[in-house]
Amino acid sequence: MRNLKIISWVESSIVEDIPITATAWDTSSTDIIFTCGPTPERAVISLKRSKLQENIPTSNKFQDNTSFAGKVQTLATWDAPCPLPDLACDRILTLYYFSEDQTTCIVLEGGDVVVVRENANSKNDKIEIVGSVDAGITAAAWSPDEALLAISTREDTFLFMTRDYDNLSDLKCSPEDLKISKHVSVGWGKAETQFKGKRAKALRDPTIPEKIDEGLQSSCDDGAAVISWRGDGAFVALSTLDPNRGRVIRVYSREGALDSVSEPVDRLEGALSWRPAGNLIASVQRSPDSANVVFFERNGLRHGQFSLRLTEDDLKGWARNVTLSWNIDSSVLAVTYLDRVQLWTMGNYHYYLKQEVPLTGALELDSIKRLIWHPEKPFQFAFYSGKRIIRLEFEFAIIRGPSSPPHDHGTVAVIDGKVLKLSHLRYANVPPPMACNEIEFHSTIVDAAVSQDGLLLAVLLRRTVRIFRMRPKAVSKLSVFPLADNDIGENSTETRRIRLCFAGNSKLIVSFLTTTESTVCVYSIAPDANAKMMLNEWSKVIPMSVTHLLMGPASEDFHVVSGYATSTIHTGRWENGKLSLGDPVSFPSRCSWVETVKWKDQLLVFGLTSAGVLYANERILTRNCTSFLVAPSHIILTTAQHLLKFVHIDEVNALEVPSDSPETDERCRTIERGAKLVTVVPSNFSLTLQMPRGNLETIFPRALVLAGIRRSISATDYKTAFFTCRNHRVDMNILHDYDSKQFMGCIGLFIEQVPKSEHIDLFLSSLREEDVTQTMYQNTLHAMPDLERTAVLANGYEVKEAASADQGKPSKVNRICDGFLDALKHKSVTNLHSIITAHVCKSPPDLDAGLLAVNNLLVEESEDAERALEHLCFLADVNRLYHSALGLYNLNLALEVAQKSQMDPREYLPFLQNLEDMPEGRRRLTIDDHLGYHEKAISHLHQMKAHEELKEYTVKHKLYLAALRLYRYDEEQLNATTHLYAIYLEKDSQFYEAGLAFEFLNLYAEASEAYRAAGNWRECLFCASQTSMSSSEREGLASALANVLYEAKDYPSAATIYLEYKNDVEAATRSLCKGYYFAEAMRILSVRDRLDLLEPIIDMGMTEGLGSSTEFLAECKGQLQAQVPRLRELRAKKEEDPLNFYDAPANPDADIPDDVSIAPSALSTSGGSLLTRYTGRNDGSTLATNTSRRTSKNARREERKRARGKKGSVYEEEYLVNSIRRLIERVSGTKDEVKRLVAGLVRRGMRERARAVEDAMKEVTSLCQACLDEVFGEERMVEAEKVEGISGADRVFAEGMREKEKRGQRPVVELFERLTLLEA
């Protein structure tokens, strides 16, 4: 779909009296190196340089002319007599310029190889003959890497010379070479191998061609040898004329070995060019009435062809001599004739003639001698004719129609020689090279343009413009009607028309190029039916160096892009009938593709350079763009990472290019490699891309679709939004979530716009609680809709204030369904299905309401009852409907539903018949019991006053709480039920609540046992006192409770029982001393007047507490001093060699694969990389299966290893950290005990002992505080992975890592405050 358009045409003239004979590019600049001479009259060669200079305008006015001029500099001149007597004069075969050392190599037909050095010194001559072939040279060519020079001589030899001009090989071209290739053609791509029906040569072998070429010589073959290198320089092709077999192409390797010879082709000529991509060798085959470009593979076999579309007169005239040349990126094939150059491109296996560059004026007297492509710029070439050098630069551009609705018909025009292929991609994606319409002209097309409304088409020919009126919706051949054929400007042969564009619908802008300047002319199109184009009173000639013409976003505006090194955009507009010029916008670099858009009265200009830099005015948006186009609300671009991106149009500094995240961002999407944009149709959200092969693909990007949906919702056009969601599979929750308040106020409008029940049902059945605008379809626009507004909408609907409180309701789905039910309550006749759907789609489904609606129809014997029931059965599980119908106690409705299900009638008919025969209460009880509604069932038993049956039912189904609620006001039955509940609680080990229930019933003996089992000693002793238990039994109970509490280390509670129930002061004080409650013990001795027990009990208890505390603190100190250094050592080893730390190979000197940098796969032979051995991950998501460690036995063994934390194992570090954590927690837990011990020792006069234990505690807490940062603060924890799907030992390790993360918070060490009394 791309066309070639001229963006630069520069001519340089020389004043020499001898013509130009050769040209070459200087790749370090835009200069051309060329030679003049020798001629028979003057055997002199003059080497010159043509510099390109651009005259930059000094102001913003159109009248400031910007043109190009070529400055010629002479580098060297020398005499060049011809050494061969049979030549009238010597002839330059090859001119090549080496930019890196500024030397020029000239190969002459007489046999000399001359080197000219621009920066000559005393060691090197400025002009030097570095080699000579006595017999003479017929052709020569340098390899693309400038390392080898291939030379064909007049003695049929083929030479390879190095850059130092040393002879590398000398090959003889002999008739024996023709036997090297044994060609076997199977007929690929030929007509005889195509299917033609059963009757068409069914028995003929397709591998045998109908005609075998013999290699006949063409009458127009000049016999010259031609050399062409492959793009990588690995092979070179030589085309020579063999007297016995006509034109032969030999392929040699870089080392000088003959690789292949072409198969015989009749009338093959000397034109030769090897496609730089390497797959095809192009040549020309001529027949009496046509000429074809034929292709060969490297092995010499034919591989397709295409016709040059020449007539017999053309072949005898300007097409007598044909040469071929591929550009550097293999995208354009230049076919050079005597007076013109044709540029051909290939797409979808069809060759298009994109441009024809004719010689005009004085150049027509001469012929084009040689065309050379720029070695680095793929669309720039130069040729010479007579005494002029012409440089041209092209670009690929797409001729497309407007992309603003409602005129976005997706019109795309493709130039193919004299045929314009026109397609309207909005209505049909026609694969190239086909098209909706094909318009044929009498001459080659230069350019075409489409008007702002998409209805006018202007086609620029060499001297005329033809205007057509289109009917885009009609894709037939009759959709284009010619209106006028207009001559533009003067008929001067010096004038070339380069581009044209529309300004609105009534003006046409055409750029002209002469030999001295480029101009822009404005034409108006008369409004008559003939669309006659005429120059009106305010049209003017504007001299500029024009590279682009663009149709402006506003009516009758247009843009002129000029400049060679940089691009400047001028905007022309009409004000009061006069042409005015706006402020220019300049890009820092020259942009080959430019688009404009209007945004809030601000002109945004976007330009893309050939290097992939996309500009927005002067700001760089991205540096990896491959193509872009502008839509009304987006800039759409493709990147070198094969991503399609959408940028919301905004102010220049607010433009935001999305990141490369197609999974999460609607503005980014993955596309096929190499795809480029063709056109966008916002009206139907379509975007057309062209693949590298040439085929088209139309997609509907989510960004365009969602943008259209949001616009429709904002305009309350719910019909368009709904069908867009339906057609493009967009979650319909967006209709509500995008503006929930507006939607809830417009449910009636929604029903009017989408009246069909099936459409409403589709919407309701798609509802979910999720807010899709926050998850799936996050709005990437900065300006969100104003959800707080109160607006009067179309058709008189108003957003109700009550809708603003919707967000307080818990369920979005239920809120919407209730809204639809409220709106449809008066439309039950036409929207019955939608009403049922609204009930069923609630969360949870309101099946009862749906069944009642169907039941009402059954009672009324409505004809719609059957369809309504079928619809209900379609929406919900019929078994659930059956149960719901039973739950309504409507047997007739249940029977109707059962008949719609797959249930066996032998099952449900007897059951329903049995229910029919039961009394009402018993029937409801049976139904609820059958459905599992046990709480409802006992309510029926309560109504029937079947108390004994209710008790049995309660015990069977554990419905004690429901039964208690029923008997809340029946004391007798309440007590009986409570007793049953108490027995159940006691069996269920809920002893405390069981004791409360027994005590409520005054069953103190049972309550006492329950409290005792629960450990509630106070309640137990109280209930025991309310029974007939003897004093000895109560004392025994107290002793038993005290012993239990003492063993549970609840020393204060045990002391209370000893003191109050057994009057045992000694046992009570010993219990308190055991818990370091010395103050309380001493108080009790004082109250009971037993101070004699101070020494034997209090002092002895303090001594025992001092010993145990000192021993505990010493153990903690030793543990810290041992474990912290070991942990430090382990972490140092892991930091130095993590692979060895985890894998621990048996042989430390063995070679270990560097799996840290090698991504593992399912075929990896290593045991995984780094931590994958323990986490079970072989790659990003797939679990390893080639291991025997994932068994339950190994898992248990690994758990034991992890618990032990064996030294040297992978779990040792985790074990040490957890051990230190537990130690700190234990030390913090004993702080209060040590404080009570120190206070007691001081009170009893044991000052030094108190100081000793206080010092020990202070030292241990200081050690704990000091190791926190080392152990926990800088802990290098491995990221815990998900353990789902991991088994065996790997799961144990992964769970350990997860627990390690959970325990990542460092413990708190509380400082121990010493007694100031002991600091003295």
Side-chain angles (χ1 to χ4, degrees):
M1 308 302 286
R2 298 181 298 169
N3 304 287
L4 278 176
K5 293 189 176 184
I6 301 174
I7 62 173
S8 174
W9 183 314
V10 181
E11 296 183 7
S12 301
S13 301
I14 62 172
V15 295
E16 298 286 341
D17 56 353
I18 53 178
I20 300 172
T21 54
T23 55
W25 284 100
D26 180 1
T27 56
S28 64
S29 63
T30 58
D31 299 347
I32 290 182
I33 309 298
F34 67 95
T35 58
C36 296
T39 62
E41 294 79 13
R42 187 178 177 186
V44 175
I45 299 177
S46 180
L47 182 66
K48 299 177 181 293
R49 174 188 292 271
S50 175
K51 292 180 174 291
L52 185 64
Q53 292 182 335
E54 182 180 7
N55 299 324
I56 306 299
T58 58
S59 69
N60 298 332
K61 296 181 179 180
F62 279 136
Q63 285 74 14
D64 293 325
N65 184 23
T66 303
S67 61
F68 294 99
K71 179 181 178 181
V72 177
Q73 174 188 358
T74 301
L75 302 179
T77 302
W78 69 95
D79 295 333
C82 182
L84 299 180
D86 57 334
L87 297 178
C89 67
D90 215 340
R91 183 167 63 95
I92 297 177
L93 299 177
T94 297
L95 174 65
Y96 196 88
Y97 184 78
F98 298 96
S99 301
E100 58 183 13
D101 55 6
Q102 296 182 340
T103 60
T104 304
C105 177
I106 302 173
V107 181
L108 299 172
E109 187 178 9
D112 292 337
V113 180
V114 181
V115 173
V116 181
R117 301 178 179 88
E118 290 189 47
N119 299 323
N121 51 36
S122 58
K123 296 182 181 180
N124 297 316
D125 296 330
K126 185 176 183 64
I127 304 172
E128 180 183 0
I129 300 177
V130 295
S132 181
V133 178
D134 297 337
I137 300 175
T138 57
W142 281 94
S143 63
D145 59 359
E146 301 179 348
L148 292 178
L149 173 63
I151 298 176
S152 172
T153 70
R154 303 180 76 179
E155 292 182 341
D156 293 334
T157 59
F158 197 49
L159 309 178
F160 286 93
M161 299 181 69
T162 65
R163 179 69 181 272
D164 297 329
Y165 303 100
D166 296 327
N167 193 9
L168 188 63
S169 60
D170 189 348
L171 308 173
K172 180 67 176 178
C173 298
S174 65
E176 296 298 323
D177 296 343
L178 307 181
K179 301 178 182 179
I180 188 173
S181 295
K182 298 180 181 180
H183 302 113
V184 178
S185 175
V186 294
W188 295 120
K190 293 187 176 181
E192 54 264 24
T193 63
Q194 308 305 310
F195 178 74
K196 300 179 181 179
K198 297 180 180 179
R199 301 181 181 179
K201 304 178 182 179
L203 301 178
R204 186 178 177 278
D205 187 355
T207 63
I208 301 177
E210 297 180 359
K211 178 181 177 297
I212 299 177
D213 287 351
E214 300 176 0
L216 300 179
Q217 182 177 347
S218 172
S219 59
C220 296
D221 196 336
D222 57 3
V226 184
I227 299 174
S228 181
W229 285 87
R230 199 170 76 173
D232 58 359
F235 293 91
V236 62
L238 170 64
S239 176
T240 58
L241 187 61
D242 188 275
N244 298 321
R245 216 191 72 174
R247 181 65 64 169
V248 175
I249 300 175
R250 292 176 172 85
V251 177
Y252 294 89
S253 68
R254 186 184 183 89
E255 291 75 21
L258 181 63
D259 185 72
S260 63
V261 178
S262 64
E263 64 174 289
V265 178
D266 288 343
R267 300 179 183 86
L268 187 67
E269 296 188 357
L272 182 72
S273 182
W274 199 327
R275 196 166 185 248
N279 58 336
L280 296 175
I281 303 173
S283 187
V284 174
Q285 181 189 28
R286 187 185 297 263
S287 63
D289 57 351
S290 65
N292 298 326
V293 174
V294 295
F295 299 109
F296 295 88
E297 299 177 7
R298 200 194 78 190
N299 58 13
L301 288 175
R302 287 276 298 273
H303 189 95
Q305 65 183 35
F306 71 90
S307 174
L308 291 176
R309 308 172 190 174
L310 301 175
T311 64
E312 292 187 22
D313 294 337
D314 296 338
L315 293 172
K316 295 176 182 178
W318 50 266
R320 294 192 308 273
N321 186 20
V322 184
T323 59
L324 304 176
S325 180
W326 287 100
N327 70 334
I328 190 63
D329 68 352
S330 305
S331 60
V332 181
L333 175 64
V335 182
T336 307
Y337 302 99
L338 294 177
D339 65 345
R340 68 196 65 191
V341 176
Q342 292 183 349
L343 302 180
W344 296 76
T345 64
M346 191 270 286
N348 226 12
Y349 305 104
H350 174 79
Y351 279 85
Y352 297 85
L353 174 55
K354 292 298 183 182
Q355 273 290 348
E356 184 175 89
V357 181
L359 292 180
T360 58
L363 293 177
E364 291 180 338
L365 303 177
D366 300 307
S367 61
I368 299 176
K369 301 301 182 184
R370 176 175 170 79
L371 182 145
I372 52 171
W373 287 98
H374 196 285
E376 295 178 357
K377 299 177 181 179
F379 301 117
Q380 188 170 346
F381 68 83
F383 61 87
Y384 66 92
S385 179
K387 296 182 181 182
R388 291 190 180 183
I389 298 176
I390 300 93
R391 315 178 202 202
L392 290 95
E393 188 169 0
F394 295 81
E395 67 177 10
F396 275 127
I398 297 177
I399 302 173
R400 61 171 70 93
S403 59
S404 298
H407 307 304
D408 52 340
H409 305 292
T411 303
V412 178
V414 180
I415 297 174
D416 189 9
K418 299 179 181 180
V419 177
L420 185 70
K421 299 176 180 291
L422 197 65
S423 295
H424 310 294
L425 298 178
R426 176 176 177 177
Y427 311 105
N429 184 347
V430 183
M434 295 183 291
C436 294
N437 307 279
E438 292 187 0
I439 311 172
E440 189 169 358
F441 299 90
H442 62 277
S443 63
T444 305
I445 302 170
V446 178
D447 198 4
V450 182
S451 64
Q452 197 171 41
D453 60 3
L455 300 180
L456 290 181
L457 171 69
V459 181
L460 175 64
L461 306 178
R462 285 191 62 180
R463 290 183 173 86
T464 61
V465 170
R466 297 198 66 186
I467 301 178
F468 299 82
R469 184 173 299 279
M470 296 185 294
R471 294 179 181 174
K473 292 187 178 181
V475 296
S476 65
K477 293 288 184 181
L478 300 177
S479 63
V480 178
F481 302 93
L483 297 181
D485 193 351
N486 305 277
D487 186 19
I488 53 175
E490 302 174 357
N491 291 326
S492 171
T493 57
E494 295 289 337
T495 303
R496 289 170 290 274
R497 290 86 186 172
I498 294 185
R499 285 200 171 185
L500 82 164
C501 76
F502 276 92
N505 301 316
S506 60
K507 293 180 177 60
L508 192 66
I509 317 299
V510 182
S511 65
F512 293 83
L513 180 68
T514 65
T515 56
T516 58
E517 65 180 7
S518 60
T519 59
V520 174
C521 292
V522 182
Y523 294 91
S524 65
I525 303 174
D528 60 355
N530 294 326
K532 185 64 177 178
M533 192 166 57
M534 60 193 315
L535 189 66
N536 63 11
E537 64 277 4
W538 34 256
S539 297
K540 60 179 67 176
V541 176
I542 310 169
M544 298 192 68
S545 173
V546 177
T547 59
H548 298 78
L549 287 178
L550 303 174
M551 181 170 60
S555 177
E556 298 187 350
D557 286 1
F558 68 96
H559 306 286
V560 179
V561 184
S562 62
Y564 189 80
T566 61
S567 293
T568 302
I569 297 90
H570 300 267
T571 301
R573 61 175 59 94
W574 276 263
E575 295 178 357
N576 300 323
K578 294 183 179 181
L579 182 64
S580 62
L581 178 63
D583 296 333
V585 177
S586 297
F587 293 128
S589 303
R590 191 183 70 171
C591 293
S592 300
W593 299 273
V594 181
E595 295 281 350
T596 61
V597 67
K598 200 80 169 180
W599 177 255
K600 295 181 179 179
D601 298 329
Q602 179 185 4
L603 179 65
L604 301 181
V605 184
F606 302 94
L608 176 63
T609 68
S610 57
V613 180
L614 180 62
Y615 290 95
N617 291 2
E618 296 182 357
R619 178 195 168 193
I620 296 178
L621 283 184
T622 182
R623 295 182 180 274
N624 61 351
C625 181
T626 57
S627 65
F628 84 100
L629 52 82
V630 176
S633 57
H634 293 91
I635 307 149
I636 309 171
L637 57 101
T638 58
T639 69
Q641 286 74 35
H642 322 298
L643 295 174
L644 176 68
K645 294 187 176 183
F646 293 81
V647 179
H648 294 292
I649 293 181
D650 205 335
E651 296 181 356
V652 173
N653 295 327
L655 295 173
E656 179 185 359
V657 179
S659 60
D660 298 348
S661 53
E663 300 85 2
T664 58
D665 197 334
E666 69 180 35
R667 299 171 297 170
C668 185
R669 169 180 174 149
T670 304
I671 56 175
E672 185 176 333
R673 180 184 298 270
K676 293 187 177 182
L677 298 169
V678 175
T679 189
V680 60
V681 183
S683 294
N684 64 346
F685 324 114
S686 66
L687 182 69
T688 303
L689 300 100
Q690 187 166 28
M691 304 302 114
R693 194 191 72 179
N695 56 307
L696 298 180
E697 179 179 346
T698 298
I699 61 175
F700 298 86
R702 190 51 52 93
L704 289 180
V705 174
L706 292 177
I709 293 172
R710 291 170 183 139
R711 285 196 301 270
S712 299
I713 294 174
S714 298
T716 64
D717 185 4
Y718 287 103
K719 178 179 181 181
T720 301
F722 172 82
F723 284 104
T724 302
C725 292
R726 182 190 184 196
N727 295 337
H728 297 283
R729 302 177 67 87
V730 176
D731 195 315
M732 291 192 180
N733 284 271
I734 193 174
L735 299 177
H736 167 271
D737 297 342
Y738 182 68
D739 193 341
S740 59
K741 180 180 178 180
Q742 173 183 299
F743 182 85
M744 295 305 298
C746 296
I747 291 179
L749 177 62
F750 181 94
I751 295 172
E752 287 186 6
Q753 293 180 354
V754 188
K756 289 189 177 181
S757 280
E758 53 267 29
H759 294 157
I760 299 176
D761 294 348
L762 177 61
F763 170 74
L764 293 174
S765 60
S766 303
L767 293 176
R768 291 180 291 119
E769 295 295 339
E770 176 187 357
D771 186 353
V772 296
T773 61
Q774 301 300 320
T775 55
M776 299 172 61
Y777 310 130
Q778 289 188 14
N779 196 340
T780 52
L781 276 172
H782 297 296
M784 299 293 290
D786 185 10
L787 301 184
E788 302 299 328
R789 67 185 184 275
T790 302
V792 178
L793 305 172
N795 300 327
Y797 284 90
E798 182 179 350
V799 180
K800 302 176 183 178
E801 291 298 331
S804 62
D806 290 342
Q807 299 178 1
K809 296 185 179 180
S811 173
K812 176 189 84 173
V813 176
N814 292 350
R815 189 168 66 250
I816 297 174
C817 290
D818 289 338
F820 272 86
L821 289 172
D822 184 63
L824 295 172
K825 61 185 177 181
H826 301 300
K827 301 180 180 180
S828 59
V829 177
T830 57
N831 293 89
L832 177 62
H833 286 186
S834 299
I835 294 174
I836 294 175
T837 304
H839 286 301
V840 176
C841 289
K842 286 186 176 182
S843 179
D846 192 358
L847 299 181
D848 292 350
L851 288 170
L852 290 175
V854 174
N855 185 63
N856 293 335
L857 296 176
L858 292 174
V859 172
E860 297 173 1
E861 298 182 356
S862 173
E863 298 179 355
D864 298 330
E866 186 72 17
R867 290 189 292 107
L869 183 58
E870 291 178 357
H871 181 67
L872 183 60
C873 293
F874 168 76
L875 293 175
D877 182 11
V878 68
N879 293 322
R880 290 186 60 190
L881 286 174
Y882 174 70
H883 292 158
S884 298
L886 284 177
L888 295 174
Y889 314 116
N890 191 327
L891 300 183
N892 292 331
L893 182 59
L895 178 61
E896 293 290 339
V897 174
Q899 290 175 348
K900 300 294 182 183
S901 69
Q902 301 295 324
M903 299 171 59
D904 190 351
R906 292 175 296 182
E907 296 180 2
Y908 65 82
L909 284 178
F911 176 70
L912 295 177
Q913 184 63 42
N914 186 29
L915 291 176
E916 184 70 26
D917 298 337
M918 292 181 181
E920 181 69 20
R922 182 61 60 178
R923 180 193 306 138
R924 295 194 174 196
L925 169 65
T926 306
I927 290 175
D928 290 333
D929 182 66
H930 174 74
L931 297 177
Y933 304 155
H934 302 302
E935 290 192 13
K936 291 179 65 177
I938 63 171
S939 66
H940 301 308
L941 289 172
H942 181 263
Q943 292 174 1
M944 292 187 295
K945 301 186 182 303
H947 301 301
E948 295 300 324
E949 187 178 355
L950 189 149
K951 293 177 184 178
E952 295 176 0
Y953 198 85
T954 299
V955 172
K956 178 180 179 181
H957 296 289
K958 303 176 183 179
L959 300 173
Y960 302 100
L961 296 179
L964 290 174
R965 286 192 293 270
L966 291 174
Y967 288 128
R968 181 178 302 173
Y969 304 108
D970 189 343
E971 184 177 357
E972 181 182 356
Q973 300 299 331
L974 178 63
N975 292 338
T977 306
T978 303
H979 187 257
L980 294 175
Y981 187 37
I983 296 173
Y984 165 75
L985 291 173
E986 189 175 27
K987 291 181 180 179
D988 199 36
S989 299
Q990 300 181 46
F991 298 109
Y992 180 70
E993 291 195 17
L996 291 175
F998 283 125
E999 190 174 0
F1000 171 76
L1001 299 173
N1002 297 326
L1003 300 175
Y1004 294 108
E1006 291 85 349
S1008 178
E1009 292 297 325
Y1011 285 136
R1012 180 179 181 181
N1016 299 92
W1017 60 274
R1018 295 177 180 84
E1019 293 85 349
C1020 176
L1021 292 174
F1022 170 77
C1023 290
S1025 66
Q1026 302 299 315
T1027 63
S1028 57
M1029 186 181 296
S1030 63
S1031 58
S1032 59
E1033 290 177 344
R1034 285 197 295 272
E1035 186 176 350
L1037 176 62
S1039 298
L1041 289 173
N1043 293 334
V1044 170
L1045 292 172
Y1046 189 88
E1047 294 296 330
K1049 298 184 178 182
D1050 188 0
Y1051 301 113
S1053 297
T1056 301
I1057 295 176
Y1058 283 129
L1059 186 64
E1060 296 181 0
Y1061 289 90
K1062 298 187 66 177
N1063 199 24
D1064 190 345
V1065 177
E1066 295 183 12
T1069 52
R1070 284 193 178 93
S1071 179
L1072 291 172
C1073 290
K1074 189 68 175 178
Y1076 294 81
Y1077 296 100
F1078 300 107
E1080 178 66 15
M1082 294 168 68
R1083 187 191 69 82
I1084 291 174
L1085 291 179
S1086 174
V1087 171
R1088 296 299 180 101
D1089 196 18
R1090 294 295 306 272
L1091 297 179
D1092 57 309
L1093 298 178
L1094 286 175
E1095 292 185 4
I1097 296 179
I1098 302 299
D1099 292 350
M1100 186 61 65
M1102 289 183 180
T1103 303
E1104 291 177 358
L1106 175 64
S1108 60
S1109 297
T1110 305
E1111 182 181 359
F1112 167 73
L1113 294 175
E1115 289 178 359
C1116 291
K1117 178 180 176 182
Q1119 182 178 343
L1120 286 173
Q1121 292 176 343
Q1123 291 183 341
V1124 172
R1126 174 59 181 169
L1127 183 62
R1128 187 184 305 120
E1129 179 185 356
L1130 285 176
R1131 289 178 172 172
K1133 288 182 179 180
K1134 184 171 67 172
E1135 188 72 21
E1136 293 173 1
D1137 189 2
L1139 184 64
N1140 187 41
F1141 177 80
Y1142 283 101
D1143 284 347
N1147 183 11
D1149 299 328
D1151 292 335
I1152 302 175
D1154 186 12
D1155 288 341
V1156 175
S1157 60
I1158 300 176
S1161 65
L1163 301 178
S1164 298
T1165 56
S1166 63
S1169 65
L1170 200 59
L1171 300 178
T1172 57
R1173 173 180 175 188
Y1174 297 99
T1175 59
R1177 296 290 185 186
N1178 255 358
D1179 53 21
S1181 59
T1182 307
L1183 297 177
T1185 57
N1186 55 351
T1187 177
S1188 60
R1189 299 173 65 247
R1190 290 167 176 77
T1191 61
S1192 59
K1193 180 179 179 181
N1194 284 344
R1196 292 191 297 270
R1197 182 166 63 245
E1198 204 73 18
E1199 277 286 0
R1200 292 193 294 270
K1201 290 181 181 179
R1202 177 184 168 199
R1204 289 196 303 268
K1206 183 180 178 181
K1207 186 175 182 179
S1209 69
V1210 72
Y1211 300 111
E1212 184 182 3
E1213 180 188 5
E1214 177 193 2
Y1215 175 80
L1216 291 176
V1217 172
N1218 292 336
S1219 178
I1220 296 173
R1221 186 191 303 276
R1222 290 192 297 269
L1223 183 146
I1224 293 174
E1225 292 172 354
R1226 288 171 59 199
V1227 170
S1228 298
T1230 59
K1231 184 188 67 169
D1232 294 336
E1233 294 181 359
V1234 173
K1235 282 186 177 181
R1236 295 196 297 268
L1237 175 61
V1238 170
L1241 290 172
V1242 171
R1243 292 179 65 185
R1244 295 297 298 162
M1246 305 177 191
R1247 180 185 180 91
E1248 295 302 325
R1249 294 184 181 183
R1251 180 181 284 110
V1253 70
E1254 195 176 54
D1255 291 341
M1257 185 66 182
K1258 185 66 175 178
E1259 182 181 7
V1260 172
T1261 54
S1262 299
L1263 289 174
C1264 293
Q1265 182 68 35
C1267 74
L1268 281 180
D1269 291 337
E1270 182 178 2
V1271 177
F1272 303 99
E1274 298 179 2
E1275 184 178 354
R1276 297 168 177 80
M1277 295 184 297
V1278 181
E1279 182 180 357
E1281 299 190 23
K1282 294 181 179 180
V1283 299
E1284 289 78 5
I1286 310 176
S1287 59
D1290 292 339
R1291 185 181 183 93
V1292 174
F1293 185 83
E1295 289 176 346
M1297 293 296 102
R1298 172 175 286 185
E1299 292 181 9
K1300 192 175 184 181
E1301 271 197 346
K1302 292 179 180 179
R1303 295 192 301 267
Q1305 186 176 2
R1306 51 192 281 169
V1308 178
V1309 177
E1310 297 181 4
L1311 296 179
F1312 182 76
E1313 297 180 0
R1314 305 184 62 170
L1315 288 177
T1316 57
L1317 182 63
L1318 298 178
E1319 293 179 357

